[in-house]
Amino acid sequence: MDIETAKRNAAHRAVHDHFDASARYIGIGSGTTIVYVVEAITQLGIDTANIRFVPTGYQSRQNILHYGLTPIAFDSLPPNTLMEVAFDGADEIDEDLNCIKGGGACLYQEKLVATHARKFVCVADHRKLQHRLLSHWPSVPIEVEPLAASVVLTALRALGSTDPKVRTGPMSKAGPLKTDQSNFIIDAPFQTLLLPQDKGSTEPGHSKGWEVEALAKEIKLIEGVLSVGIFCGENGQEAAKAGKKMGGQKPIAAYFGMEDGGVVVRSAESKAVSTEEVPVK
């Protein structure tokens, strides 16, 4: 089965399981997989006239408009408002549902939307399903203030990153790629990231590699860093139980379209993986 069909299968299953017809606000992420999420929403046959869809960037907004849905900018949301659900993709997802995002250079807005949703749901294809982050995806994307890029590069090397680089645009002679906020993206390679249950991972900068949350926190402390492309910590439901007003960075579930036509679901509740056949619409 081709990758696009796998993405579509995962998107339709995720929408079937998590779309809320009574929602007032729904987050819509970036990337090729999320096109199928919006497609699946429109194929539900539900009246969406009263729902506003919050994009994570220019491409995301165009996707919403293309399918006849109504976008609303993140900064136009009423104060203290949480979206009922946010759908987005990921570059890699580990067995604890930590994610690497930012391959499409929208990670700051993606994190804004994820952390202001009651639940964040990831949709991807089987290539993104990994036991640990940086198993296949090569680096951590980091959005930085351009003036601080050289300072951030130096600090990342001190943390153990091998050859971090400012990402260039499609035409390298045009210079660094710029985000929707006119910032730079630095791609920082590290060793495979560890989970708390991995032996020795509690020691920051351990020779065997960084623990996911420890590395995310250290990078965020660097002056000039706007956002780190590691989505970790609490999910939205855990944040709500803790009495927090914001959502969480981690998804409550991740849907992976597989080569055999099935969809693997990795959920926060069980940490188990379930599979279901999903017809292509």
Side-chain angles (χ1 to χ4, degrees):
M1 175 173 291
D2 66 90
I3 290 295
E4 295 307 310
T5 300
K7 292 177 181 179
R8 179 180 281 114
N9 285 347
H12 279 257
R13 170 78 185 277
V15 168
H16 175 272
D17 289 354
H18 294 282
F19 182 81
D20 183 354
S22 65
R24 187 73 180 91
Y25 302 103
I26 291 177
I28 298 294
S30 312
T32 57
T33 305
I34 301 305
V35 172
Y36 300 118
V37 167
V38 181
E39 172 191 85
I41 290 171
T42 60
Q43 290 182 2
L44 289 173
I46 295 171
D47 184 4
T48 60
N50 293 321
I51 302 176
R52 297 296 177 265
F53 295 85
V54 185
T56 59
Y58 176 82
Q59 179 260 355
S60 175
R61 185 175 186 275
Q62 296 308 304
N63 186 27
I64 292 167
L65 290 169
H66 175 77
Y67 281 94
L69 304 177
T70 305
I72 181 173
F74 177 84
D75 59 0
S76 295
L77 290 171
N80 301 315
T81 295
L82 289 180
M83 289 160 265
E84 279 72 14
V85 61
F87 297 96
D88 205 349
D91 300 311
E92 200 166 58
I93 305 171
D94 71 18
E95 65 184 35
D96 276 2
L97 293 176
N98 299 298
C99 305
I100 287 181
K101 293 171 57 56
C106 298
L107 68 97
Y108 176 61
Q109 291 192 58
E110 289 172 345
K111 190 164 281 191
L112 274 178
V113 170
T115 55
H116 287 79
R118 289 190 173 88
K119 58 181 183 178
F120 164 37
V121 176
C122 254
V123 185
D125 63 73
H126 54 86
R127 299 172 299 176
K128 314 302 174 63
L129 175 61
Q130 302 292 335
H131 291 295
R132 299 290 183 271
L133 297 183
L134 298 184
S135 293
H136 179 71
W137 191 258
S139 56
V140 178
I142 304 160
E143 186 160 349
V144 303
E145 163 62 40
L147 186 64
S150 62
V151 173
V152 175
L153 287 168
T154 299
L156 289 168
R157 293 187 191 101
L159 292 177
S161 177
T162 55
D163 197 24
K165 292 182 178 179
V166 174
R167 189 183 300 177
T168 57
M171 297 179 63
S172 59
K173 66 180 181 181
L177 177 147
K178 287 196 173 183
T179 69
D180 286 353
Q181 289 73 46
S182 296
N183 292 316
F184 290 173
I185 295 289
I186 289 177
D187 293 307
F190 283 90
Q191 295 182 57
T192 300
L193 301 185
L194 306 177
L195 296 176
Q197 59 266 35
D198 295 327
K199 185 177 180 180
S201 67
T202 56
E203 180 183 340
H206 191 275
S207 60
K208 292 184 179 179
W210 281 93
E211 188 270 330
V212 173
E213 289 192 48
L215 180 61
K217 289 176 181 177
E218 285 293 326
I219 295 175
K220 189 66 172 68
L221 290 173
I222 301 170
E223 194 65 43
V225 169
L226 176 65
S227 193
V228 183
I230 299 174
F231 286 53
C232 59
E234 295 176 321
N235 63 42
Q237 293 175 338
E238 291 167 342
K241 288 179 181 178
K244 298 179 181 179
K245 294 182 178 180
M246 289 177 58
Q249 296 183 21
K250 281 168 67 171
I252 62 162
Y255 289 73
F256 302 91
M258 306 305 287
E259 291 178 288
D260 63 1
V263 173
V264 162
V265 183
R266 182 173 279 171
S267 70
E269 292 181 353
S270 65
K271 294 290 177 67
V273 172
S274 62
T275 308
E276 179 176 316
E277 293 291 330
V278 177
V280 180
K281 296 184 179 181

PDB file of all heavy atoms in Angstrom, residues 17 19 56 61 65 91 101 108 127 135 140 155 179 214 231-232 239 252:
ATOM      1  N   ASP A  17     -12.814   8.757  15.505  1.00  0.00           N
ATOM      2  CA  ASP A  17     -12.722   8.533  16.945  1.00  0.00           C
ATOM      3  C   ASP A  17     -12.778   9.811  17.772  1.00  0.00           C
ATOM      4  O   ASP A  17     -13.207   9.780  18.930  1.00  0.00           O
ATOM      5  CB  ASP A  17     -11.416   7.805  17.283  1.00  0.00           C
ATOM      6  CG  ASP A  17     -11.418   6.352  16.836  1.00  0.00           C
ATOM      7  OD1 ASP A  17     -12.470   5.868  16.365  1.00  0.00           O
ATOM      8  OD2 ASP A  17     -10.352   5.705  16.948  1.00  0.00           O
ATOM      9  N   PHE A  19     -13.410  13.439  16.396  1.00  0.00           N
ATOM     10  CA  PHE A  19     -14.083  14.670  15.976  1.00  0.00           C
ATOM     11  C   PHE A  19     -15.324  14.893  16.825  1.00  0.00           C
ATOM     12  O   PHE A  19     -16.128  13.982  17.041  1.00  0.00           O
ATOM     13  CB  PHE A  19     -14.470  14.605  14.494  1.00  0.00           C
ATOM     14  CG  PHE A  19     -15.122  15.866  14.007  1.00  0.00           C
ATOM     15  CD1 PHE A  19     -14.353  16.961  13.653  1.00  0.00           C
ATOM     16  CD2 PHE A  19     -16.503  15.966  13.912  1.00  0.00           C
ATOM     17  CE1 PHE A  19     -14.954  18.137  13.216  1.00  0.00           C
ATOM     18  CE2 PHE A  19     -17.106  17.132  13.475  1.00  0.00           C
ATOM     19  CZ  PHE A  19     -16.328  18.218  13.122  1.00  0.00           C
ATOM     20  N   THR A  56      -2.247  26.115  12.107  1.00  0.00           N
ATOM     21  CA  THR A  56      -0.916  26.244  12.700  1.00  0.00           C
ATOM     22  C   THR A  56       0.061  26.932  11.756  1.00  0.00           C
ATOM     23  O   THR A  56       1.269  26.887  11.988  1.00  0.00           O
ATOM     24  CB  THR A  56      -0.369  24.863  13.091  1.00  0.00           C
ATOM     25  OG1 THR A  56      -0.319  24.040  11.918  1.00  0.00           O
ATOM     26  CG2 THR A  56      -1.223  24.200  14.147  1.00  0.00           C
ATOM     27  N   ARG A  61      -3.889  27.013   7.026  1.00  0.00           N
ATOM     28  CA  ARG A  61      -5.056  27.880   6.770  1.00  0.00           C
ATOM     29  C   ARG A  61      -5.585  27.675   5.352  1.00  0.00           C
ATOM     30  O   ARG A  61      -6.804  27.620   5.129  1.00  0.00           O
ATOM     31  CB  ARG A  61      -4.683  29.343   6.991  1.00  0.00           C
ATOM     32  CG  ARG A  61      -5.874  30.303   6.870  1.00  0.00           C
ATOM     33  CD  ARG A  61      -5.475  31.738   7.212  1.00  0.00           C
ATOM     34  NE  ARG A  61      -6.639  32.601   7.224  1.00  0.00           N
ATOM     35  CZ  ARG A  61      -7.153  33.187   6.144  1.00  0.00           C
ATOM     36  NH1 ARG A  61      -6.569  32.997   4.950  1.00  0.00           N
ATOM     37  NH2 ARG A  61      -8.227  33.961   6.228  1.00  0.00           N
ATOM     38  N   LEU A  65      -9.388  26.484   4.196  1.00  0.00           N
ATOM     39  CA  LEU A  65     -10.199  27.236   3.232  1.00  0.00           C
ATOM     40  C   LEU A  65     -10.550  26.394   2.014  1.00  0.00           C
ATOM     41  O   LEU A  65     -11.679  26.473   1.493  1.00  0.00           O
ATOM     42  CB  LEU A  65      -9.442  28.502   2.795  1.00  0.00           C
ATOM     43  CG  LEU A  65      -9.284  29.603   3.843  1.00  0.00           C
ATOM     44  CD1 LEU A  65      -8.308  30.661   3.358  1.00  0.00           C
ATOM     45  CD2 LEU A  65     -10.647  30.235   4.141  1.00  0.00           C
ATOM     46  N   ASP A  91       6.882  14.115  13.005  1.00  0.00           N
ATOM     47  CA  ASP A  91       8.005  13.546  12.262  1.00  0.00           C
ATOM     48  C   ASP A  91       8.430  12.199  12.846  1.00  0.00           C
ATOM     49  O   ASP A  91       8.969  11.350  12.135  1.00  0.00           O
ATOM     50  CB  ASP A  91       9.179  14.520  12.273  1.00  0.00           C
ATOM     51  CG  ASP A  91       8.808  15.850  11.634  1.00  0.00           C
ATOM     52  OD1 ASP A  91       8.253  15.831  10.525  1.00  0.00           O
ATOM     53  OD2 ASP A  91       9.048  16.903  12.251  1.00  0.00           O
ATOM     54  N   LYS A 101       8.492  17.290  16.158  1.00  0.00           N
ATOM     55  CA  LYS A 101       7.763  18.027  15.152  1.00  0.00           C
ATOM     56  C   LYS A 101       8.608  19.211  14.709  1.00  0.00           C
ATOM     57  O   LYS A 101       9.525  19.617  15.414  1.00  0.00           O
ATOM     58  CB  LYS A 101       6.414  18.502  15.708  1.00  0.00           C
ATOM     59  CG  LYS A 101       5.451  17.348  15.999  1.00  0.00           C
ATOM     60  CD  LYS A 101       4.198  17.801  16.741  1.00  0.00           C
ATOM     61  CE  LYS A 101       3.431  18.878  16.029  1.00  0.00           C
ATOM     62  NZ  LYS A 101       3.055  18.470  14.636  1.00  0.00           N
ATOM     63  N   TYR A 108       6.459  26.258  16.222  1.00  0.00           N
ATOM     64  CA  TYR A 108       6.012  27.196  17.264  1.00  0.00           C
ATOM     65  C   TYR A 108       4.492  27.293  17.284  1.00  0.00           C
ATOM     66  O   TYR A 108       3.858  27.167  18.339  1.00  0.00           O
ATOM     67  CB  TYR A 108       6.625  28.577  17.044  1.00  0.00           C
ATOM     68  CG  TYR A 108       6.124  29.602  18.029  1.00  0.00           C
ATOM     69  CD1 TYR A 108       6.330  29.441  19.397  1.00  0.00           C
ATOM     70  CD2 TYR A 108       5.441  30.738  17.594  1.00  0.00           C
ATOM     71  CE1 TYR A 108       5.863  30.378  20.307  1.00  0.00           C
ATOM     72  CE2 TYR A 108       4.982  31.677  18.498  1.00  0.00           C
ATOM     73  CZ  TYR A 108       5.194  31.497  19.852  1.00  0.00           C
ATOM     74  OH  TYR A 108       4.723  32.428  20.744  1.00  0.00           O
ATOM     75  N   ARG A 127       6.007   4.991   9.049  1.00  0.00           N
ATOM     76  CA  ARG A 127       7.422   5.358   9.145  1.00  0.00           C
ATOM     77  C   ARG A 127       7.714   6.163  10.408  1.00  0.00           C
ATOM     78  O   ARG A 127       8.848   6.208  10.881  1.00  0.00           O
ATOM     79  CB  ARG A 127       7.840   6.170   7.911  1.00  0.00           C
ATOM     80  CG  ARG A 127       7.700   5.429   6.593  1.00  0.00           C
ATOM     81  CD  ARG A 127       7.936   6.362   5.423  1.00  0.00           C
ATOM     82  NE  ARG A 127       6.967   7.455   5.417  1.00  0.00           N
ATOM     83  CZ  ARG A 127       6.991   8.465   4.545  1.00  0.00           C
ATOM     84  NH1 ARG A 127       7.950   8.515   3.628  1.00  0.00           N
ATOM     85  NH2 ARG A 127       6.064   9.417   4.603  1.00  0.00           N
ATOM     86  N   SER A 135      15.346   7.776  16.443  1.00  0.00           N
ATOM     87  CA  SER A 135      15.718   6.455  15.933  1.00  0.00           C
ATOM     88  C   SER A 135      15.851   6.489  14.418  1.00  0.00           C
ATOM     89  O   SER A 135      16.724   5.843  13.838  1.00  0.00           O
ATOM     90  CB  SER A 135      14.652   5.424  16.318  1.00  0.00           C
ATOM     91  OG  SER A 135      14.621   5.218  17.704  1.00  0.00           O
ATOM     92  N   VAL A 140      16.625  17.348  16.002  1.00  0.00           N
ATOM     93  CA  VAL A 140      15.591  18.095  16.711  1.00  0.00           C
ATOM     94  C   VAL A 140      15.457  19.473  16.060  1.00  0.00           C
ATOM     95  O   VAL A 140      16.420  20.254  16.062  1.00  0.00           O
ATOM     96  CB  VAL A 140      15.949  18.268  18.201  1.00  0.00           C
ATOM     97  CG1 VAL A 140      14.877  19.106  18.911  1.00  0.00           C
ATOM     98  CG2 VAL A 140      16.105  16.919  18.881  1.00  0.00           C
ATOM     99  N   ALA A 155      25.749  26.736  21.895  1.00  0.00           N
ATOM    100  CA  ALA A 155      25.177  26.096  23.084  1.00  0.00           C
ATOM    101  C   ALA A 155      24.740  24.668  22.782  1.00  0.00           C
ATOM    102  O   ALA A 155      24.884  23.772  23.622  1.00  0.00           O
ATOM    103  CB  ALA A 155      23.996  26.920  23.596  1.00  0.00           C
ATOM    104  N   THR A 179      10.500  31.020   9.135  1.00  0.00           N
ATOM    105  CA  THR A 179       9.184  30.550   9.557  1.00  0.00           C
ATOM    106  C   THR A 179       8.140  31.640   9.335  1.00  0.00           C
ATOM    107  O   THR A 179       8.467  32.764   8.925  1.00  0.00           O
ATOM    108  CB  THR A 179       9.201  30.177  11.049  1.00  0.00           C
ATOM    109  OG1 THR A 179       9.349  31.383  11.831  1.00  0.00           O
ATOM    110  CG2 THR A 179      10.345  29.225  11.366  1.00  0.00           C
ATOM    111  N   ALA A 214      14.486  16.049  29.670  1.00  0.00           N
ATOM    112  CA  ALA A 214      15.672  16.764  30.132  1.00  0.00           C
ATOM    113  C   ALA A 214      16.294  17.569  28.998  1.00  0.00           C
ATOM    114  O   ALA A 214      16.682  18.741  29.177  1.00  0.00           O
ATOM    115  CB  ALA A 214      16.681  15.787  30.713  1.00  0.00           C
ATOM    116  N   PHE A 231       7.864  17.485  21.667  1.00  0.00           N
ATOM    117  CA  PHE A 231       6.584  17.638  22.354  1.00  0.00           C
ATOM    118  C   PHE A 231       6.527  16.543  23.418  1.00  0.00           C
ATOM    119  O   PHE A 231       6.400  15.357  23.090  1.00  0.00           O
ATOM    120  CB  PHE A 231       5.427  17.511  21.367  1.00  0.00           C
ATOM    121  CG  PHE A 231       5.237  18.718  20.468  1.00  0.00           C
ATOM    122  CD1 PHE A 231       6.301  19.228  19.726  1.00  0.00           C
ATOM    123  CD2 PHE A 231       4.004  19.334  20.369  1.00  0.00           C
ATOM    124  CE1 PHE A 231       6.133  20.334  18.901  1.00  0.00           C
ATOM    125  CE2 PHE A 231       3.820  20.445  19.545  1.00  0.00           C
ATOM    126  CZ  PHE A 231       4.885  20.946  18.817  1.00  0.00           C
ATOM    127  N   CYS A 232       6.633  16.947  24.680  1.00  0.00           N
ATOM    128  CA  CYS A 232       6.760  15.978  25.759  1.00  0.00           C
ATOM    129  C   CYS A 232       6.062  16.495  27.015  1.00  0.00           C
ATOM    130  O   CYS A 232       5.497  17.590  27.019  1.00  0.00           O
ATOM    131  CB  CYS A 232       8.238  15.704  26.052  1.00  0.00           C
ATOM    132  SG  CYS A 232       9.177  17.184  26.528  1.00  0.00           S
ATOM    133  N   ALA A 239      -3.124  17.355  32.079  1.00  0.00           N
ATOM    134  CA  ALA A 239      -3.050  18.738  32.543  1.00  0.00           C
ATOM    135  C   ALA A 239      -4.358  19.159  33.212  1.00  0.00           C
ATOM    136  O   ALA A 239      -4.352  19.847  34.242  1.00  0.00           O
ATOM    137  CB  ALA A 239      -2.734  19.660  31.372  1.00  0.00           C
ATOM    138  N   ILE A 252      -2.914  12.561  23.175  1.00  0.00           N
ATOM    139  CA  ILE A 252      -3.573  11.505  23.957  1.00  0.00           C
ATOM    140  C   ILE A 252      -3.584  10.205  23.168  1.00  0.00           C
ATOM    141  O   ILE A 252      -3.745   9.126  23.745  1.00  0.00           O
ATOM    142  CB  ILE A 252      -5.011  11.892  24.343  1.00  0.00           C
ATOM    143  CG1 ILE A 252      -5.868  12.085  23.096  1.00  0.00           C
ATOM    144  CG2 ILE A 252      -5.025  13.135  25.218  1.00  0.00           C
ATOM    145  CD1 ILE A 252      -7.347  12.042  23.356  1.00  0.00           C
TER     146      ILE A 252
END
